[in-house]
Amino acid sequence: MSDERSVTSNAPIAKKRSDYQVPDFFIEQVDMTFWLEPSETRVLTKSKVRRNGDHQRPLVLDGDDLELLKVSINGIGINTYQCSEKQLSIAYDANEFELEIETQINPASNTSLEGLYLSNNTFSTQCEAEGFRKITYFLDRPDVLATYQVTVHADKQKYPYLLSNGNCIAKGEGDNGTHWVTWQDPFKKPCYLFALVAGDFDLVEDKFVTQSGRTIDLQFFVDKGNASRAGHAVESLKKAMRWDEETFGLEYDLDIYMVVAVDFFNMGAMENKGLNIFNSKCVLADPESATDEDYFNIESIIGHEYFHNWTGNRVTCRDWFQLSLKEGLTVFRDQQFSSDMSSPVTTRISQVKLIKERQFAEDSGPMSHPIRPDEVIEMNNFYTVTVYDKGAEVIRMMHTMLGKDGFRRGMDLYFERHDGQAVTCDDFVNAMQDANNVDMSLFRRWYGQSGTPEVSVKEIYDAEQQIYRIELSQHTPKTADQAHKQVLHIPVDMMLLNARGEAEALDQDGNTSTVLDLCESKQSFEFHGIKEKPVLDIFRSFSAPVKVHFEQSTQDMAAIMLHARDDFSRWEASQSLFTNAILDGVKHQGVIADNKIAFILDCLQQLLQNKPDDFALLGEMLSVPSYDSLAQKMAVVDVEGILASRQLMQDSIADALVDELHAAYSLCRNDGYAYQQEQIANRRLSNVCLTYLAKGQQGESLLLQQFERSDNMTDTLGVLKAARRYNVPVFEKLMSQFESKWHDDVLVLDKWFSLHAGAETDDILAKLDLLTAHAHYSNSNPNRIRAVVGTFAFFNTSGFHNMNGSGYRYVADAIIQLNRINPQVASRLITPLSEWQRYGEDRQDLMKGELLRIADQPHLSPDLYEKVSKALHF
Ligand code: TRP
Ligand code: ZN
């Protein structure tokens, strides 16, 4: 009996999607007052409560870590309530009443960064998914929509800015050096969109005039001294507002839009109504301190949170199982925005890499779930690449099948039907279906089925009849969460090329591309009048999130890579060629056959002689696939084999193409940094070339030259990465110069932390200890943790997978420490350990040992409990 594990007896219980019930009560109007003090904040919440339907059940409110001071109903204090650890239950007969609840909370000790917390002398909130219950007792579920009025009292000197959602309607002075402000949000919203911020900032202001002529005040609140780094985010917001008007006819609704940048934040940003809260690294940028990638991410995340105002806020989720309703759709919208603002092909390449490297891994691991999950223990665990990015791919497939105009018709109908409501993924598909008069019943399965479908492609060419046939078959392997899989509706965008890369007409109308509907387990498609055996370009632009099995000849791949008109196809072909050769090397003790290497070098030479206009594309095509995407191709991952074979491929390119790479490198000159496509492309290509050139004789002098000359973070980091890649002796020297220059700038220092943590050297663990002892390291700041522990666990392949188990142990230790400090961050770090099934037995034992050690911790958070138990029962 005494041996009974507390983990099992207190095991958190999963909630099921199928158990959804409408709320017993609605709360339609909320009036909150906050008296902010670091460790004793008082919160008074007055709610208008209305019984939903004819029943006598009590009102059961959610709460977490709250001290309850007072409850009254219609102005009279009561004590006939029951208060347990996570709930407050109030039995009261009336169908409508005013409920007043006073709670006390401790923001200073809140290291979870969920609810109301104090960091760097700033009070801020994070309520999605279920953080509002850490502020007051409430119906903390997204289908309870209310208007909010919020009054904030705080010390005037320490917290000159007091912010909440909506419009400021009153302000004044209080006793003892305090002041107060009242905000009113006229739009009904679920409590997860509530926000409050109090602090001292630099304020950067701008204006936007909407398509209907209304002027919106834009306000960005950043840390003192950082105003000069807010410009790019402000411009990005204005672009996003214009883009949504032009693309979807959607205009902003309030008269003010605020963005606050904070240093302590669990994710990228949060779309609170009228008051977005951002991780400072997703707002602040200048050429000296931010890379092109940072600029890109800021634009896309500013866009993402802005687009949520319609897809998420005006139309929200009925329950958290429907998270992809807002996230998949909003990611798709931010992807289209980024594509329109920058380079469509590189934008698509980075999305596809994410799916292949991370989402496919999630789908084949213990946390596998459909984009609309069926069972959840801790909702924070479901903000995943599956819900977000596969969710966006599912939306993209609808866009592909319905076309731009059809998709727009569906969106219009969706808003016409559901503005102001909390709805489901089915409601979204219904709108798409009804607006276009199509039957999407088969397509819907993408929402409920997890796992990565595998499509096999066979081609048959009949020269005599001039008929070309492709036979497609689909199969989705079972996953941890679902044993039986159904056939899906898979859109297959394809083209036929001749040997010169020209597209063949596929029908009488002369169309050269088409989208095939693969709706059965086996299906074939015929094309007539094809005069020579064509080269098949299939799943163009990654038209469905599937794995493709197609034994295409290297000649055909090379033809696509060198001659196809479509840029994305060219990139994919280059990656397939590399992948084939590298995997061949893995099979043969790290040695790639000479003729395979020669073939690739010859292709690359042609590519460098006959450069595509887009240098960013060229840079991507010269880059070999990542460890993660190669690992996805193996049933049992051969860590050492992939590392060796991949390195051999890179070394061969570096040795054989020095002159060509050097010529390309020298072509890419920019004067004066601008975040502008041609410049970005030049920097991309030159830094890819530099990484190869670092290996050669001139390596060190090229690195030093670029380091000296660089006026921007992209080129500086390019040098450091290239030096690290070939362990060039100057690496350490340049790193310490970099550290002294940026010693007091934590956002830049994170890049330095991450460069060190990703170095594949034998003494990496000693290095990590030095990093975490650095004056600016902090295990309560998620950005620092991700830069050091996150980079090591996800990207330092040889260090993490060290056969002596030290890498696994290091990460498990960090997770155990973080379990109490910040469960959300701890839980995200466990992914690489939970993928033990993909490795050989020795590694499996070591990884499972660490998972068991985590499982044995007292007070394991529900976040970690859910992942560890799934990982161990895989
Ligand atoms: N809704 C946010 C977004 O995608 C995500 C988010 C921000 C979040 N902070 C969070 C989710 C904390 C869970 C917990 O834009
Ligand atoms: Zn989002």
Side-chain angles (χ1 to χ4, degrees), residues 193-247:
L193 290 172
F194 166 86
L196 178 157
V197 173
D200 194 4
F201 303 97
D202 274 349
L203 171 59
V204 178
E205 291 189 273
D206 208 328
K207 289 194 187 307
F208 178 80
V209 181
T210 67
Q211 60 184 8
S212 72
R214 292 166 44 245
T215 300
I216 316 292
D217 287 322
L218 312 179
Q219 302 190 330
F220 282 66
F221 298 86
V222 300
D223 274 358
K224 288 252 161 206
N226 275 325
S228 65
R229 289 184 176 179
H232 176 64
V234 176
E235 289 311 309
S236 300
L237 176 60
K238 291 194 283 184
K239 286 182 187 168
M241 295 175 96
R242 184 64 71 220
W243 184 89
D244 218 13
E245 291 179 347
E246 288 170 354
T247 314

Side-chain angles (χ1 to χ4, degrees), residues 784-849:
R784 298 305 94 71
I785 299 162
R786 282 187 284 255
V788 176
V789 189
T791 302
F792 177 74
F794 283 90
F795 299 106
N796 195 325
T797 308
S798 67
F800 178 68
H801 289 294
N802 192 319
M803 278 305 308
N804 66 16
S806 58
Y808 304 145
R809 194 177 331 117
Y810 179 87
V811 173
D813 284 341
I815 290 168
I816 288 166
Q817 192 194 33
L818 284 166
N819 172 46
R820 287 166 188 258
I821 301 172
N822 189 328
Q824 278 185 52
V825 171
S827 180
R828 284 182 179 269
L829 291 172
I830 209 168
T831 304
L833 278 174
S834 70
E835 287 169 359
W836 57 265
Q837 334 76 33
R838 299 174 49 205
Y839 295 88
E841 251 176 66
D842 297 354
R843 286 196 166 91
Q844 290 199 357
D845 291 344
L846 292 166
M847 293 166 102
K848 279 194 276 187

Side-chain angles (χ1 to χ4, degrees), residues 572-628:
E572 273 225 301
S574 74
Q575 300 302 295
S576 305
L577 269 177
F578 282 133
T579 302
N580 270 1
I582 294 172
L583 291 181
D584 179 69
V586 177
K587 260 190 242 146
H588 301 98
Q589 290 77 45
V591 183
I592 307 172
D594 285 345
N595 64 332
K596 295 212 172 195
I597 291 195
F599 184 81
I600 288 185
L601 290 177
D602 182 54
C603 289
L604 295 181
Q605 205 151 23
Q606 288 185 52
L607 184 68
L608 283 159
Q609 266 155 22
N610 210 334
K611 295 184 189 61
D613 296 334
D614 182 349
F615 278 11
L617 172 66
L618 178 56
E620 295 301 330
M621 290 173 74
L622 290 171
S623 304
V624 305
S626 66
Y627 166 83
D628 287 299

Side-chain angles (χ1 to χ4, degrees), residues 271 304-305 308 326-327 330 388:
E271 70 263 23
H304 180 99
E305 307 312 331
H308 267 315
K326 75 177 178 79
E327 295 304 346
T330 304
Y388 273 61

